[in-house]
Amino acid sequence: MSAAFEVKRTAAEFRAACDALRAEGGGFGFVPTMGALHRGHLALVAEARRRAAHVAVSIFVNPTQFGPHEDFTRYPRPLERDLELCREAGVRLVFTPSPAEMYPAGERTRVRVSGLTETLEGPFRPGHFEGVTTIVSKLFAASGPAVAVFGRKDYQQLKVVERMAADLLLPVEVVGFPTVRDPDGLALSSRNAYLSPEERTRALAVPRGLARALTLHRAGEESAGTLRRAVLDLVEPAATRIDYVTVAGADDLVPIADSERVGRRALLAVALFVGTTRLIDNIVFSEDNAPVTTP
Ligand code: PAF
């Protein structure tokens, strides 16, 4: 008989259900999401299940991490389908709170990580990471997981959450899971649903550019400028607007100037628009596999 599947809408009910799962023993894992689940999310759930006997998922489109001109209202919310996917994936508990539950009237508290949030996405999405760290710390406080799994597609988010958990002495292991891609290399994202077929084809310039840079790096190229240019050459004709193509330290996220060498391990991160859809992607040299085999 399969284990019971529960859905909770209030933090108090969710906390009690997490306490009960923890008491069953075997470890308790957590995957925070904004829903519109795809294979990437299900891979995070599978990783959590490898590491813990019981897994909870949250589905919450967090208003505080969206800017005023971003896609908060149109973000897809296929809740019934998401719940079914969670049930099929062996999730024991899903938390689907309302905004008022997570941000009750009179709330005044925000969690902010400095430094790591000030590069890459930081200047383009003011307040975004403060929204992320605030909601993730609330979700950790409500659930008390031993392990929480995040996708490496949002690499900066992963580093920021790792830092936050360490700084707040939270007893949770934050695990980063490799980006899951379609066979043609496009990183899975709930926002890919916004792309028209023609835009989706153009978006393939991103994984192809990253793959080309990775091939160059594997062949010994260490010039940050050359590696960056390898991506730019492919994405410039495809993108409607480029926010950044940046080489940065893989841990401190500090950009590396074109004139510098990257060394063995560094992050190459991209954020751009195809049409009105903003896409992000990245690779870490010496850590990640090629996004596509034919750059
Ligand atoms: O990566 C996401 O989906 C969100 O940023 C997260 C971690 C669920 C916080 O809202």
Side-chain angles (χ1 to χ4, degrees), residues 32-34 41 58 60 62 65 75 128 131-132 135-136 139 150 154 157:
T33 81
M34 297 204 301
H41 296 109
S58 61
F60 179 62
N62 173 36
Q65 69 187 75
Y75 200 86
H128 168 70
V132 169
I135 196 66
V136 171
L139 292 167
F150 292 79
D154 296 293
Q157 168 173 281

Side-chain angles (χ1 to χ4, degrees), residues 200-213:
R200 195 190 173 290
T201 304
R202 274 159 55 199
L204 294 178
V206 176
R208 288 182 182 150
L210 292 173
R212 181 183 280 186

Side-chain angles (χ1 to χ4, degrees), residues 50-52 84-85 93 109 113 118 120 129 135 142 151 240 258 284:
R50 265 192 290 281
R51 292 166 177 267
E84 200 42 49
L85 287 172
L93 176 61
T109 303
V113 174
E118 284 150 29
L120 302 168
F129 287 115
I135 196 66
T240 309
D258 280 354
V284 176

Side-chain angles (χ1 to χ4, degrees), residues 47-70:
E47 180 62 19
R49 290 196 70 199
R50 265 192 290 281
R51 292 166 177 267
H54 315 293
V55 171
V57 165
S58 61
I59 297 176
F60 179 62
V61 185
N62 173 36
T64 62
Q65 69 187 75
F66 288 79
H69 305 294
E70 294 184 356

Side-chain angles (χ1 to χ4, degrees), residues 245-269:
V245 172
T246 299
V247 182
D251 296 313
D252 61 13
L253 309 184
V254 173
I256 299 172
D258 280 354
S259 56
E260 289 177 35
R261 307 187 75 71
V262 300
R264 237 179 65 74
R265 189 171 160 271
L267 170 72
L268 177 46

